[in-house]
Amino acid sequence: MTTPRVSVLIPAFKRADTIEAAVRSALAQTWTDLEVVVVDDDSQDDTAAVLARIEDPRLLVLSHDTNQGGNAARRTAITASRGEYLAFLDADDLWLPTKIEKQVASLEGGGPRAGLSYTWYDLRHPGGRIETGRRPTASGPQLPELLQGNLVGTFSVVMVRREVLEAVGLPDPTLPSCQDWEFYIRVNSQYEMVCVPEVLALYWRDDHDVNRISASAAKVIAGHREVYARIVDRLDALPAGQAAQSRRYFMETFANHADLRGVGTVAAAIRPAATSVAEIRFTVRMAARAARKSAAVTDLR
């Protein structure tokens, strides 16, 4: 059996309604030298039965005996895969036909230090409505923009060289949220990121989906706290404005999720000499917002 150049990695949990379309969007790529590795993360619905209907020798389906989370499933898929390039796809997202072809070209054109390629994406809502998604263009190593928020977005737009994982490690299964963003930060600390400025993926956005991570404030808070702890020492090396922008992102995220402690943690790390009046005012506003939201949650209980 010949080794495919590209491995598509799909973690699946309770996605019987979307997994077939996701897999078929990968198998229908103009780049045909690929394998698709799906890991059913103990879905306990009809996900396995749906996958069994897809007849293509390039498809490999594995399963977990217990639910372990998205990054654990990605790690299982990575271990089983054989390709030189690894492309992530979530089980409810879709690819446009030329995505793999254009991302391979972007990595090969970027040279050996180009380790991660990402594309633009649009959002696909229940009922078929399409919403314009992210349009970042940042490329290069150690991007300060990547410390100011997840500019790339979903795993489904990302392709990496296998050697990148050997250098920086696999996606972290211990994170309750920000699993994709933390991985991108790690990769970009050693390799360049390259952007393919074209919409080549459709991200499924269902605000009523109880299984999505963003539906859990506790998971959002815990993941952002962990990412902040891992990058806080790097902020002092940034220009003051960029460091302030990063702190603003974290404080606003914590405030919006009623996490006064998280706001305080970020504020406590600010060096007095680098603090502007505007940043002090922003910090006070975020602390007040977090306190109000926390009180509102308490009242609902």
Side-chain angles (χ1 to χ4, degrees):
M1 182 181 296
T2 60
T3 300
R5 290 198 67 199
V6 175
S7 295
V8 181
L9 314 172
I10 307 179
F13 178 65
K14 294 184 178 180
R15 286 291 180 259
D17 56 338
T18 62
I19 184 66
E20 182 172 4
V23 170
R24 291 195 184 281
S25 77
L27 294 172
Q29 291 290 299
T30 55
W31 180 282
T32 59
D33 185 13
L34 58 79
E35 64 177 352
V36 177
V37 183
V38 180
V39 177
D40 181 354
D41 194 27
D42 193 33
S43 293
Q44 298 186 7
D45 66 355
D46 290 333
T47 295
V50 172
L51 289 167
R53 297 200 300 258
I54 304 174
E55 297 182 359
D56 193 303
R58 297 173 297 171
L59 174 62
L60 172 65
V61 179
L62 306 173
S63 61
H64 285 164
D65 293 333
T66 59
N67 178 250
Q68 300 176 38
N71 266 356
R74 291 183 186 96
R75 290 167 71 98
T76 298
I78 290 168
T79 300
S81 68
R82 298 171 293 146
E84 173 187 357
Y85 297 104
L86 307 178
F88 299 97
L89 175 60
D90 286 348
D92 48 6
D93 295 339
L94 300 174
W95 283 348
L96 276 65
T98 59
K99 177 179 180 294
I100 294 296
E101 177 184 344
K102 290 178 178 178
Q103 286 195 285
V104 171
S106 72
L107 287 173
E108 291 184 340
R113 298 312 303 168
L116 182 151
S117 168
Y118 71 95
T119 76
W120 292 348
Y121 67 89
D122 282 343
L123 288 74
R124 184 171 57 101
H125 292 267
R129 181 172 67 89
I130 301 296
E131 176 187 351
T132 300
R134 299 171 186 259
R135 299 291 188 269
T137 57
S139 296
Q142 300 182 0
L143 295 171
E145 300 97 319
L146 195 57
L147 303 183
Q148 298 164 12
N150 183 1
L151 68 89
V152 174
T154 171
F155 260 122
S156 294
V157 301
V158 167
M159 174 186 285
V160 297
R161 299 178 187 269
R162 181 176 294 276
E163 65 193 61
V164 167
L165 301 183
E166 296 168 355
V168 308
L170 277 59
D172 186 347
T174 68
L175 289 168
S177 67
C178 303
Q179 298 174 343
D180 44 12
W181 183 25
E182 185 276 337
F183 176 67
Y184 308 155
I185 292 172
R186 253 191 296 140
V187 172
N188 194 226
S189 68
Q190 297 189 41
Y191 291 87
E192 295 181 9
M193 287 174 31
V194 293
C195 174
V196 179
E198 184 177 344
V199 175
L200 294 172
L202 296 175
Y203 171 75
W204 177 247
R205 176 66 179 268
D206 182 358
D207 292 333
H208 300 292
D209 181 4
V210 296
N211 291 315
R212 60 192 176 92
I213 290 175
S214 57
S216 169
K219 289 182 178 180
V220 172
I221 291 168
H224 279 82
R225 283 185 181 180
E226 182 60 31
V227 171
Y228 177 75
R230 296 183 187 189
I231 71 167
V232 61
D233 290 341
R234 295 174 57 181
L235 299 185
D236 287 340
L238 296 178
Q242 292 177 344
Q245 186 62 37
S246 179
R247 289 192 292 266
R248 280 173 173 254
Y249 168 80
F250 281 101
M251 280 195 280
E252 187 163 19
T253 299
F254 292 137
N256 289 341
H257 291 84
D259 183 19
L260 184 58
R261 177 185 169 191
V263 174
T265 298
V266 178
I270 301 174
R271 292 179 299 157
T275 306
S276 66
V277 172
E279 190 164 10
I280 293 172
R281 289 174 176 169
F282 182 83
T283 301
V284 171
R285 289 203 308 274
M286 292 303 102
R289 181 186 299 179
R292 286 196 307 271
K293 287 181 174 288
S294 180
V297 171
T298 302
D299 289 343
L300 288 174
R301 294 173 181 168

